[in-house]
Structure formats: C-alpha cells, structure tokens
Amino acid sequence: MVRFSLGRSARPQQHAAVRSRNRRPQQAQPSGGDPPPPPVPPEPEPEPGPPTGGDPAPADPEVPRLTVTQVEQMNVEARVTDIYRVLWGGSPNTQSIILELWRDQHIEYLTHGLRHLGPAFQILDANRPWLCYWMVHPLALLDEVLDDDLEDDIVDFLARCQDKDGGYGGGPGQLPHLATTYAAVNTLVTIGSERALSSINRDNLYKFMLRMKEESGAFRMHDGGEIDVRASYTAISVASLVNILDVELAKGVGDYIASCQTYEGGIAGEPYAEAHGGYTFCGLAALIMLNEVEKLDLPSLINWVAFRQGVECGFQGRTNKLVDGCYSFWQGAAIALTQKLVMVIDEQLKSSYSSKMPSGDDACGTSSSGCASEKLSSAVDYARFGFDFVQRSNQVGPLFHNLALQQYILLCAQVLEGGLRDKPGKNRDHYHSCYCLSGLSVSQCCAMTDTNSCPLPQHVLGPYSNLLEPIHPLYNVVLDKYYTAYEFFQPSD
C-alpha cells in the first residue's frame, strides 16, 4: 500500500537479510541526511593454528552488503524524511504556509528563461522548441498570460524552425524531428492565437509524418533515426491535435506499441527492453487516441504504474530507480488515464487476468469501440477520440495516492527562488518545472467525477490557491487551449 508519510520507513531496522532485487529499499535513516556506513563484518575468531592453505577467513553470511543503489535510495529517503518532519511538527497554519505553491517565483523563473538563457544552455541548441514548451506550458498552468510581443517572438521563432518539407527541427535550419515537432505544435497550441495556429503547415506536416512511417507501423524520430514508442506517441499526438490523423498514419501503430509491453506490465521504448514510465504514458496515450487501448493488458499496466509510487510519495521511472519529480506527470497521468477505462479493464479481467488480449487481426477487442476492421474505415474521425475521451467522467477514484504526490511536489520539488527540480539535492530546471507542475495539475483533478466541475478543496493539498489549470492528459496542454485548437482545426463546411 502506498503510504502518505515515511512513518514506517523512518523506524530503525536491523540488517537481518538482503532485500529482494526487485523491491525498492524501504530502510530510512536518522535525520542527519547521510546514511550510516554499511555494517562491518565482525573479526573472525582466532584459529587454533594457522590456516593450512593461506586463504582468508570467509565473510559472515548473515551480514548483507548494500549496493550503490540501496545507499543512494537511503540517502534520498533521509533527505525527504527531514523535509517531512518540518511539516509534521508544524501547526495547521504553519503547514498551510509550508504547502503553498510559490506561483510568483515560478512565473518569474519561467518568464525570465523565455527572454534570456545563459551560455550554458548552448548544449540544448537542438532542443530549442522544447525549451519553449517547457516554459510556455507551465506558465499556462499557472494561468499567466504572455504579453503580445513575447508571443509573437515565439511564433516567429518556431516558424523559422519549421522545415520547408514539413515538421520542425531543433532550431532554424536543423533536421526536422518528431520530438521537436511535438514540442513546437504543443507550444503553438498553448499560445492559442489564430496567428500561432495558422502558422502550422499541416499539409507538409502530414507528408513529413508519412516519411517517418515504417512498414511495421512504428515511426522513426527523424530521417535515419531511431524507432521507438516515443516516436509513435509524438506523431500520433501531433496528428490528432491538428486533425491530420488518418488510417494511413494509424495503421499498425497499435500492434507495435502492444509488442513493447513487458512482463512487468509497463511499456518499454522498443520490444524486449525495460518498462519505463515515459514510454508507458506515451504508449497508453497513443492507443487511446487511436481507439485501440484494448490491445494492452491494462490490469498489468495499472499494477506496474501504481507500484512505482514509493515511500517518498513521488514516482520512480523504472523498477529499482530513485524518485524523480518529472514522473509526477509521466506515471501520474498514465494511471489517471486508466480511471476512464474501467469498462475495458473489467472486460479484460473477466476474460483473463494474466494473458494478453488477442490482437485485432485475430478477433474483436473487448472495448465498446468494436473490431479493428471497423476502426480502419476511411470515415474514422480520429480527432474525435481525443475530444470524447476528455469528456468522459472518471469511472473510479484515484488509483494512486494523489495527495501524497502533491506533498512530494510541493515540499521536495519546489525551489524557493522559483522553478522545480527532480528531488532534494538537485538543481531546478525548466524540464522538471514543466512536468512537476503538469503532474500537480493531474493529481488535483484526478479525484473529480464530473469533468465540468472544479476539484473540491479536499482534493487540493495546501491552500486552494494552489489549484492549477486542468490539462488534457493525452496531449499535456491546458484544457481550454485544447478546445480552442480542436475548434480551429475542424474542417470547414
């Protein structure tokens, strides 16, 4: 069971046995922050005479040896425990102050980054549309409106990143890439002006995506680039968002993503690799947009994601890895998506808990959407799937501890000077600011049953002023901005 606090972990424990390889170490440390050294094996008893072979005495089999990962995990738990002790020891008024979202500082940090970045950022020269997205999107979450001149500058810059043959590169004149195309389109959708949305050349964008399409159904990130689930998600997300997704682009994607689901239940970047939180979100969201989500083993996926939330209250990205604030979105949004898929999950549980569902080539899926052959009709309105999905009510309450996740973000990820970070001891950055705040929005809204209502105060940790703008969880853009783009890209009568 996911715990809201570190209470059990904070108790000293005896080193009695080596923990399982597949479990995160639960041993917390004293409040000092540095873990105690691993236990030293006792000196061997003196022998009656010298050893005959000159071999050293064997180590005590009862004393475990800690791995580097276990020591790092205990260090993180100790830091987080120290932070949470301050919260637990405070009065209700003090706790409310401690749990406040520092809006003004975050806005200043993000706005300053849009106007000026130092020389150290030259290493991200091929990721400049991402930098725009990592700042523009969290500002929208904070309900901060950019001034017109800054918006125009961003639109003009992204227009220079748009390749003449379709797609967006990492900067002007750079190779078009699906990841930076996703970042550029999401940024323009978040700005939301007619000038921003009309700057997207959808005809060339469609041609670019067809060039990235593989016979297997998957996508390449760029010409000659890697093939993975991230490429499939970014292609399907952009195509759905700007209403160019059709049968040709959708064909085979679902089967490729399903082949990347691992024995653990999560989704890997490619077949036979390790389950990963980012790829799990990407694969699940893409299949929802394609209306083929029944191709995944959803009960197994939920089980894997839910157990990635640890005693620190945040999420880890993979088994036996450290907590990381960015997975507040990647894992938190993935499991939040499944709250709207209860009918599919119930059917899968009735059919078989342990086996994967048959593919569309062999039989009809179990969801109400019908057979794959019906979905591949040329009349399919793929853009409608994303619209209808967000209109559904949550069919079950949160499947993770949403208040605990908010606690981790507010106490362990916020930086006093503005911006958010991976974990205590790390520096702030725009990437983690974007995805920590996105995860905070998801965790505030996931307890709602009516999609048109606001979260209740008991679902928002700290003062109610912490409430962020809701997002469309499939695309990770603010919901109002999504509706504007959806209407803009509808075909004219």
Side-chain angles (χ1 to χ4, degrees):
M1 181 180 70
V2 175
R3 294 177 297 282
F4 183 67
S5 72
L6 296 179
R8 187 174 76 174
S9 177
R11 293 199 295 268
Q13 299 179 12
Q14 297 295 322
H15 296 282
V18 180
R19 288 175 170 79
S20 167
R21 288 175 178 268
N22 293 323
R23 294 183 58 194
R24 303 173 73 190
Q26 303 295 310
Q27 186 177 10
Q29 300 305 312
S31 60
D34 293 325
V40 179
E43 293 292 333
E45 294 292 331
E47 296 289 337
T52 57
D55 294 330
D60 187 341
E62 296 299 320
V63 179
R65 294 184 178 181
L66 299 181
T67 66
V68 173
T69 301
Q70 287 175 312
V71 173
E72 290 177 346
Q73 173 65 26
M74 292 191 300
N75 269 322
V76 172
E77 288 187 20
R79 287 176 180 268
V80 172
T81 301
D82 287 345
I83 292 171
Y84 288 169
R85 281 202 181 106
V86 176
L87 176 69
W88 300 332
S91 66
N93 287 339
T94 301
Q95 291 179 352
S96 180
I97 295 173
I98 293 173
L99 290 168
E100 184 177 351
L101 178 67
W102 302 325
R103 285 177 175 269
D104 292 342
Q105 292 92 324
H106 300 325
I107 290 171
E108 181 179 354
Y109 169 67
L110 295 164
T111 304
H112 180 269
L114 279 175
R115 297 184 182 280
H116 175 75
L117 292 173
F121 283 88
Q122 65 183 347
I123 195 173
L124 296 176
D125 181 66
N127 293 277
R128 292 165 73 183
W130 277 115
L131 289 167
C132 293
Y133 174 64
W134 294 337
M135 294 180 233
V136 171
H137 175 58
L139 284 170
L141 286 169
L142 293 163
D143 198 23
E144 177 70 7
V145 178
L146 301 178
D147 64 61
D148 292 341
D149 289 341
L150 184 55
E151 280 191 359
D152 288 342
D153 288 344
I154 296 170
V155 174
D156 290 341
F157 168 72
L158 293 176
R160 296 197 301 274
C161 296
Q162 188 167 206
D163 189 82
K164 63 181 178 61
D165 295 321
Y168 291 79
Q174 295 187 25
L175 188 73
H177 193 289
L178 279 174
T180 47
T181 297
Y182 169 88
V185 169
N186 273 20
T187 302
L188 294 167
V189 166
T190 301
I191 290 173
S193 65
E194 181 175 358
R195 183 169 182 265
L197 297 177
S198 60
S199 71
I200 302 170
N201 188 325
R202 294 195 300 158
D203 291 338
N204 286 349
L205 179 58
Y206 179 78
K207 294 174 184 176
F208 166 66
M209 291 188 174
L210 280 181
R211 295 200 307 273
M212 298 303 104
K213 181 79 173 175
E214 292 289 306
E215 291 184 4
S216 65
F219 287 85
R220 289 189 180 273
M221 293 302 297
H222 57 87
D223 285 326
E226 66 272 28
I227 300 171
D228 57 27
V229 170
R230 178 184 47 143
S232 294
Y233 167 72
T234 51
I236 297 303
S237 175
V238 168
S240 173
L241 195 53
V242 303
N243 199 14
I244 59 174
L245 183 56
D246 64 1
V247 172
E248 195 67 25
L249 290 176
K251 185 177 180 181
V253 177
D255 290 334
Y256 171 76
I257 292 174
S259 73
C260 297
Q261 187 170 21
T262 77
Y263 72 95
E264 289 186 281
I267 298 174
E270 57 188 4
Y272 312 114
E274 182 183 9
H276 185 283
Y279 293 119
T280 298
F281 167 82
C282 288
L284 175 62
L287 285 180
I288 291 172
M289 287 184 271
L290 294 170
N291 205 28
E292 298 181 30
V293 74
E294 74 281 353
K295 292 187 174 183
L296 293 174
D297 180 351
L298 291 174
S300 177
L301 184 148
I302 291 170
N303 182 73
W304 182 80
V305 175
F307 278 93
R308 302 284 68 75
Q309 188 175 22
V311 294
E312 310 90 345
C313 302
F315 280 100
Q316 61 178 180
R318 291 178 283 162
T319 304
N320 285 338
K321 293 294 183 179
L322 301 179
V323 65
D324 187 332
C326 72
Y327 294 106
S328 302
F329 174 76
W330 298 120
Q331 302 280 34
I335 200 166
L337 290 174
T338 64
Q339 294 175 235
K340 300 178 184 290
L341 300 172
V342 171
M343 291 180 63
V344 183
I345 296 166
D346 284 346
E347 288 294 332
Q348 290 189 352
L349 288 172
K350 290 175 184 176
S351 174
S352 171
Y353 182 83
S354 60
S355 63
K356 296 286 179 73
M357 299 304 299
S359 69
D361 293 335
D362 299 323
C364 288
T366 56
S367 77
S368 59
S369 55
C371 295
S373 60
E374 295 175 0
K375 298 172 191 175
L376 294 179
S377 165
S378 59
V380 172
D381 183 1
Y382 282 100
R384 187 77 190 183
F385 293 145
F387 181 86
D388 290 343
F389 182 81
V390 79
Q391 296 294 309
R392 297 184 199 172
S393 297
N394 288 330
Q395 298 157 357
V396 68
L399 299 176
F400 66 102
H401 204 319
N402 62 313
L403 291 177
L405 180 60
Q406 294 178 52
Q407 176 177 289
Y408 178 82
I409 296 169
L410 293 169
L411 294 182
C412 299
Q414 285 200 102
V415 176
L416 183 60
E417 296 78 16
L420 293 95
R421 61 189 176 185
D422 166 351
K423 62 177 69 64
K426 299 288 187 178
N427 295 322
R428 64 182 179 175
D429 60 66
H430 301 103
Y431 169 84
H432 284 92
S433 298
C434 174
Y435 290 107
C436 284
L437 290 176
S438 298
L440 184 61
S441 175
V442 168
S443 62
Q444 291 171 343
C445 296
C446 66
M448 296 164 45
T449 55
D450 184 357
T451 56
N452 295 317
S453 63
C454 292
L456 298 174
Q458 60 263 36
H459 300 147
V460 178
L461 190 65
Y464 197 70
S465 59
N466 285 355
L467 183 64
L468 297 174
E469 292 295 306
I471 64 169
H472 193 308
L474 294 175
Y475 310 99
N476 197 19
V477 295
V478 167
L479 192 55
D480 284 345
K481 303 293 187 178
Y482 163 76
Y483 286 136
T484 299
Y486 179 80
E487 292 298 327
F488 184 87
F489 292 120
Q490 285 297 298
S492 56
D493 295 332

